[in-house]
Amino acid sequence: MTNQLVFIQTNNAAGNQIQVYNRAGNGTLTLTETVDTGGDGGVSAAGPGPDPLNSQGALVYDPHHRVLIAVNASSNTVSVLGLEDDHLRLRQVLPSGGTFPVSVTVHGDLLYVLNVNGTGTITGYRVTEGQFHPIEDSTRSLKLPPASLPHQIGFTPDGHHLVVTTPANNGQIDVFTVRPDGRPSDTFVANPVSDPPSATNPTGAADRFGFIFDDHDHLVVTDANASTLTTYTINPAGDITQIASQADGQVAMCWVARAAGNFYVADIGSNTVTGYHINPAGTPTVFTRTPTRANPMDLAGTSDGQFLYVEVGGVGGVDGFHIKPDGTLAQIVTLTGINGLEGIALT
C-alpha cells in the first residue's frame, strides 16, 4: 500500500457500498473507487434521520490482516473486504449471528459483531488462513428490553474484555470477559450509570453512546442525553469505576475519536466538534470547539495526527479538518452527495 486512504460506508438500503478516497499530503480527498459490499444498508428502529444506524464502529479497518469490515444492517451480514495494491476486493459476506448489525470490533485474530434488534446479541469470528470463521458457541444475548438499540461494541486494549454501550436501564455499560479460546463469558457485568439531573437532562438518565480508550487504558465514553464525556476504569471482574465527567456545553454528544493525542467528540444536535484533553489520571477537560455542517456523526483521525474527518449526516457528506499543533481545527474538505451514510475508517 502506497497511498493513505479514507473509507466511507454509504449504508444504501438498495446496495451498501464503500467509497474509497485517496488522502493527499494536504488532507484533501479524491474518490478513487466505489466497491459493493454484497449486502444492504438500513435504518434502525430509532427511525430515519441523519444517523440511520444509531451507532459507532459500523466500519473498521484491521491493519494486521489488511481488511475492511463493514456491517450490512438490513441483510444481517458483515462484509470483509481485502486491501490489495490500494484497491478493495470483497472476500467474504458473513452472517452476523443476529439481526441488524451496527458495530464491529477486532483484536488480534478475533472479530465481534453487535446486533441490536430483539434483546441484542454479540457474535464472534476468528481468522484462520486468511478467512473469518464463526466461533462456535460465541453468541450471547444482551438481555435488553425491546428497542433498546445498543450503540457500540469494542475490545479493551488488552483484548481481555468486550464492552457494549446502551441506553437501556437508564444507561448501562455491559462488559463481557473474553476467554482464552476467544469465547465471551456466559454472562456479562451490567454496569448501570446515570448523570446528575440538569436543565437538558432533568431525569439524569444516561445514554452512553460511543467510546474509545486513552493511553492509560481508561474507557472514554460519550453520553447523548447529558452531552458529557466520562472516563472509567474497567476492573478485572468486568465492573467499572467512574473517574471523571465533563460536559461539552452542547446538546447531544455521541461519537468520539482520537487524534494527535487529543479526543474529539461530534455533537449531532449542536453541529460542533469539541476537543478534549485527558490527563494521565483520566480527567477530561475541554480546550476547543469547531462548527461543522449539519449533524456531525462518526469521525476518525489520521495516525499521523494531522487530519480529522467527520461524517455529516444532515448534508450527506464529510467535513475534513487540519489539526493544528495546538489541537484546534481548520476545515479543508467538504464532500457532499453521500446520503444515508454511516461508518468511516482510515488506513
Side-chain angles (χ1 to χ4, degrees):
M1 182 176 66
T2 58
N3 295 322
Q4 298 299 313
L5 305 176
V6 177
F7 306 108
I8 303 297
Q9 181 167 239
T10 67
N11 187 47
N12 191 328
N16 190 18
Q17 295 180 315
I18 307 299
Q19 292 188 351
V20 182
Y21 292 84
N22 180 52
R23 172 169 64 89
N26 63 359
T28 57
L29 302 180
T30 302
L31 180 65
T32 59
E33 64 178 349
T34 300
V35 181
D36 294 338
T37 66
D40 297 332
V43 176
S44 79
D51 172 25
L53 295 184
N54 197 39
S55 73
Q56 178 167 307
L59 187 68
V60 169
Y61 178 65
D62 173 9
H64 178 65
H65 297 103
R66 294 175 54 82
V67 295
L68 188 72
I69 301 166
V71 299
N72 302 307
S74 291
S75 298
N76 304 326
T77 60
V78 175
S79 294
V80 179
L81 302 101
L83 187 60
E84 304 168 9
D85 298 324
D86 294 331
H87 294 284
L88 280 182
R89 297 290 182 266
L90 181 62
R91 291 184 181 174
Q92 291 179 272
V93 180
L94 304 167
S96 68
T99 56
F100 211 84
V102 299
S103 181
V104 293
T105 184
V106 177
H107 187 277
D109 288 338
L110 299 178
L111 161 68
Y112 267 83
V113 181
L114 170 64
N115 296 280
V116 302
N117 282 3
T119 61
T121 60
I122 67 169
T123 294
Y125 305 80
R126 185 188 300 278
V127 176
T128 304
E129 296 180 352
Q131 295 284 301
F132 285 87
H133 302 277
I135 299 174
E136 185 178 355
D137 187 32
S138 66
T139 298
R140 300 287 185 270
S141 171
L142 299 174
K143 302 177 183 179
L144 295 171
S148 294
L149 302 180
H151 300 299
Q152 184 182 354
I153 186 170
F155 279 101
T156 54
D158 61 10
H160 292 168
H161 295 92
L162 279 164
V163 179
V164 179
T165 47
T166 172
N169 305 323
N170 289 328
Q172 182 171 298
I173 299 174
D174 296 337
V175 180
F176 291 87
T177 297
V178 181
R179 298 166 176 162
D181 63 5
R183 294 178 175 88
S185 51
D186 292 336
T187 59
F188 56 86
V189 177
N191 294 282
V193 293
S194 61
D195 296 302
S198 65
T200 57
N201 186 27
T203 67
D207 181 2
R208 297 301 194 245
F209 196 102
F211 63 88
I212 201 167
F213 290 87
D214 69 8
D215 288 335
H216 300 275
D217 295 347
H218 299 130
L219 178 66
V220 181
V221 189
T222 67
D223 188 292
N225 283 356
S227 205
T228 58
L229 191 70
T230 304
T231 53
Y232 300 90
T233 297
I234 298 181
N235 302 310
D239 58 313
I240 63 175
T241 302
Q242 182 170 326
I243 302 171
S245 185
Q246 178 63 55
D248 67 351
Q250 303 293 282
V251 174
M253 174 201 308
C254 295
W255 295 266
V256 58
R258 293 183 60 178
N262 310 309
F263 295 79
Y264 296 92
V265 299
D267 196 298
I268 195 169
S270 299
N271 302 330
T272 58
V273 169
T274 298
Y276 283 81
H277 295 309
I278 299 179
N279 70 15
T283 302
T285 55
V286 173
F287 76 94
T288 189
R289 180 172 297 117
T290 304
T292 68
R293 290 180 294 166
N295 307 126
M297 309 188 309
D298 218 348
L299 68 171
T302 59
S303 59
D304 60 11
Q306 294 192 55
F307 305 103
L308 182 74
Y309 297 95
V310 185
E311 294 184 327
V312 279
V315 295
V318 175
D319 284 358
F321 298 90
H322 169 59
I323 303 173
K324 299 179 183 179
D326 63 359
T328 58
L329 304 177
Q331 190 159 359
I332 55 172
V333 170
T334 53
L335 299 181
T336 57
I338 323 173
N339 295 321
L341 80 172
E342 186 114 34
I344 182 170
L346 314 178
T347 58

